[in-house]
Structures are given as C-alpha cells and as structure tokens.
C-alpha cells in the first residue's frame, strides 16, 4: 500500500490498462487509491485523536480498528459507485 494517491495511480493504472480495464472504469475507481483512513498514521488523524477530549476518537486494541475505519470504507465504496454510474451514464449519453 502506498500512502500517496499519485504514486498509487502512477504504479497501478498502467497495470490496469495492460490488463484491459477500460479507462473510464479506472477513473471511477480512483477513490480506491485513498488509503489514509486504513492505518491511522496521517497527521490529521493523529491530531484528531489527540485533540478529542470526549474520548470517542480512539485507536482500538488492534491498529486497524479505529474511529475512521467505517466512515472511510463507506465513503470509498459510495464514491466508487457514484463515479462508476457517472462514467457509464456519460459514455452512453
């Protein structure tokens, strides 16, 4: 996993094109390259955990079960779905 969306795209999108994935599908899949919410190591996440005085923003017993996990997955899946629908609708119009 790369922590840069640009590096991930530059590395993996040529592989997708070589495998025959249509460019509009790769465009719709762009939100999937965001992995900041997966591991809580980005400065804004660490700051949010540190600044939260209520104690609701936490890192659990395991590193990958933290407060940003569920919201990150939901927004990624919804963004991919909406992007795919938009790309398909624009291509057929």
């Amino acid at each position: 996993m790369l922590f840069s969306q640009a590096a991930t795209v530059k590395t993996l999108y040529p592989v997708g094109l070589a495998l025959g994935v249509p460019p509009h599908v790769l465009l719709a899949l762009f939100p999937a390259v965001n992995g900041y919410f997966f591991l809580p190591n980005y400065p804004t996440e660490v700051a949010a955990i540190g600044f939260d005085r209520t104690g609701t923003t936490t890192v659990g017993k395991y590193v990958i079960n933290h407060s940003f996990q569920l919201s990150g997955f939901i927004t990624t899946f919804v963004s991919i779905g909406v992007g795919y629908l938009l790309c398909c609708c624009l291509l057929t119009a």
Side-chain angles (χ1 to χ4, degrees), residues 46-76:
V46 175
I49 293 168
F51 291 144
D52 182 19
R53 294 178 190 224
T54 64
T56 58
T57 308
T58 61
V59 175
K61 181 179 175 185
Y62 306 102
V63 177
I64 59 170
N65 62 339
H66 53 84
S67 301
F68 305 106
Q69 196 90 42
L70 183 60
S71 59
F73 279 124
I74 290 171
T75 56
T76 299

Side-chain angles (χ1 to χ4, degrees), residues 7-22 26:
T8 304
V9 168
K10 188 170 182 161
T11 304
L12 294 178
Y13 275 35
V15 174
L17 291 172
L19 291 172
V21 178
L26 289 175

Side-chain angles (χ1 to χ4, degrees), residues 24-25 27-29 78-90:
H24 69 279
V25 173
L27 181 64
L29 290 173
V78 169
S79 298
I80 290 171
V82 169
Y84 189 75
L85 288 173
L86 285 173
C87 287
C88 290
C89 291
L90 292 175

